[in-house]
Amino acid sequence: SMIEDMEHQLPPRYDCLASFGISESLRGMIQFRTGIVLQEVSLLGISVGECELRLLRENQPHLAPTDSWTRLWQGKRSGDTRVYFVYRRNP
């Protein structure tokens, strides 16, 4: 599944995984299946740049990573047209 595929591409250690605009149901499914708690970023909350990893869905140009980020994974859920990406901040 998309979630297991994503989990296998994550580094063994990282500080946190930020997300923005990821549905509550998908965040819950990720946490249930992997134990990963996504740090949902809001305009009033933590900065998306505070986490080492970033989970985004396509069409989020305001959060598009710069050259200081590397894409680790890309995928989509079965039956879903939206593509999701995980990026890691370069050291």
Side-chain angles (χ1 to χ4, degrees), residues 5 23 28 37 41 45 49 52 54-56 63 91:
D5 184 45
S23 71
V37 178
V41 175
E52 181 180 352
R54 188 185 288 188
L55 173 63
L56 302 174
L63 295 175

Side-chain angles (χ1 to χ4, degrees), residues 5-44:
D5 184 45
M6 179 188 76
E7 181 183 26
H8 292 299
Q9 298 304 314
L10 298 179
R13 293 189 193 115
Y14 53 91
D15 59 0
C16 61
L17 177 56
S19 67
F20 183 87
I22 305 299
S23 71
E24 188 175 331
S25 63
L26 180 54
R27 287 194 329 266
M29 200 177 332
I30 289 171
Q31 182 175 353
F32 177 76
R33 291 195 179 166
T34 67
I36 297 168
V37 178
L38 297 176
Q39 303 297 314
E40 179 66 8
V41 175
S42 70
L43 296 177
L44 302 174

